[in-house]
């Protein structure tokens, strides 16, 4: 499975739906913390914005 941070600007609709379904299947407090941490990391690191 691809990771959102590596190709998030090039996803087509079906890939976005696949990610949404993956999130629903794997939802947990820990998974949410991981997403928040990765989001924070992307915001802080200007080179990984695009």
């Amino acid at each position: 499975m691809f990771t959102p941070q590596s190709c998030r600007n090039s996803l087509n609709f079906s890939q976005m739906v696949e990610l949404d379904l993956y999130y629903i299947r794997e939802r947990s407090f820990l998974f949410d913390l991981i997403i928040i941490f990765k989001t924070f990391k992307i915001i802080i690191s200007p080179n990984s914005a695009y």
Side-chain angles (χ1 to χ4, degrees):
M1 172 150 198
F2 53 88
T3 58
Q5 70 269 18
S6 65
C7 60
R8 67 185 183 276
N9 291 328
S10 61
L11 297 176
N12 62 34
F13 181 75
S14 63
Q15 291 169 324
M16 287 188 280
V17 170
E18 183 181 334
L19 281 177
D20 289 341
L21 293 173
Y22 178 77
Y23 175 77
I24 291 168
R25 285 190 306 268
E26 301 296 323
R27 68 180 182 238
S28 70
F29 182 71
L30 180 60
F31 191 58
D32 287 344
L33 286 178
I34 292 169
I35 292 170
I36 291 168
F37 176 74
K38 287 182 177 185
T39 302
F40 184 70
K41 182 179 168 187
I42 289 171
I43 290 170
I44 297 302
S45 177
N47 292 336
S48 64
Y50 290 98

